[in-house]
Amino acid sequence: MKLVVGLAGASGSIYAARFLRALYELEGETFITASPASLRIFSEEYETKVESAEDILSFVETKWKTKPKHKFHIRNFFDIGSDIASGSNTWDAMVVIPCSMKTVASMSAGLTENLIERAADVTLKERRRLIIVPRETPYNRIHLKNLLALDEAGAIILPASPGFYQMPKTLDDLGDFIAGRILNLIGVNQTLFPKWLG
């Protein structure tokens, strides 16, 4: 499994953190890039200090005492000449988690001013799986039109709207619900929460 993960500047750092924690336990590799806004929000929501995607990975590893099986490659948010900016490189799927409405708007319009937007554009043009995890509420008409445009272009919209049938006991459980849904979409049989059996 080879992934690209982008952290954009929306609230919902828990979703990114728990998804990364889940990846730590899987074989494979991920190219990760984080916007400056996502670093600020992560710092505020986890009451810590992160200045890079590498800091976020260190935080995840330390907080949950995770022994990584997964290999992470850090890519600079501003480097639109990075390897993941080209379709000549391959990956199985890209996840933008959490995804800001600014990033949604840029992706839906085909704008590629940073590495998240460019990698997402490449993912769509190469007909690979692009999973968008927007974290906004309520949505206005512009948000909905932009999300619909991405859906029509082939992206999967997975709102950060956790279910409660798994009887969550902690906030981490809510993050794991979203992480588990993403894992299912990229072909991993998730075990973060029990399946609904009816």
Side-chain angles (χ1 to χ4, degrees):
M1 180 175 59
K2 189 174 181 181
L3 303 176
V4 173
V5 172
L7 280 61
S11 180
S13 300
I14 188 172
Y15 299 114
R18 295 303 286 182
F19 179 61
L20 292 171
R21 188 205 65 79
L23 288 182
Y24 260 84
E25 299 179 0
L26 301 174
E27 299 287 344
E29 61 181 326
T30 290
F31 296 81
I32 182 171
T33 186
S35 73
S38 74
L39 300 175
R40 175 179 176 174
I41 293 168
F42 195 100
S43 295
E44 292 174 355
E45 292 185 344
Y46 272 110
E47 298 180 320
T48 188
K49 179 70 172 170
V50 297
E51 297 180 343
S52 66
E54 189 172 16
D55 288 347
I56 289 176
L57 292 172
S58 295
F59 174 86
V60 169
E61 188 172 342
T62 301
K63 181 173 177 62
W64 290 293
K65 299 177 176 58
T66 308
K67 297 292 185 190
K69 295 180 185 175
H70 206 78
K71 186 171 184 180
F72 289 94
H73 311 281
I74 310 296
R75 294 297 181 263
N76 188 308
F77 175 75
F78 298 103
D79 183 10
I80 59 169
S82 172
D83 48 1
I84 58 171
S86 173
S88 62
N89 293 300
T90 60
W91 52 87
D92 300 307
M94 178 175 180
V95 181
V96 185
I97 179 172
C99 190
S100 67
M101 288 301 110
K102 185 272 179 198
T103 302
V104 165
S106 294
M107 291 186 299
S108 71
L111 300 178
T112 57
E113 296 180 334
N114 59 59
L115 189 54
I116 291 177
E117 295 165 3
R118 175 58 188 163
D121 191 64
V122 169
T123 301
L124 289 175
K125 79 181 183 69
E126 298 295 331
R127 304 299 191 264
R128 300 172 192 155
R129 184 156 289 194
L130 175 62
I131 301 168
I132 307 296
V133 184
R135 215 308 309 159
E136 185 62 85
T137 191
Y139 294 132
N140 65 34
R141 183 177 290 267
I142 295 169
H143 300 155
L144 292 168
K145 284 184 175 181
N146 289 336
L147 289 167
L148 180 59
L150 283 171
D151 175 82
E152 290 171 342
I156 297 172
I157 311 302
L158 193 161
S161 303
F164 289 83
Y165 57 81
Q166 82 279 26
M167 300 301 181
K169 303 292 188 298
T170 67
L171 291 177
D172 286 345
D173 291 340
L174 299 178
D176 284 348
F177 182 89
I178 297 301
R181 296 303 301 265
I182 296 168
L183 292 176
N184 280 341
L185 288 173
I186 61 177
V188 176
N189 187 23
Q190 70 85 22
T191 57
L192 299 176
F193 63 91
K195 297 183 174 96
W196 176 251
L197 299 176

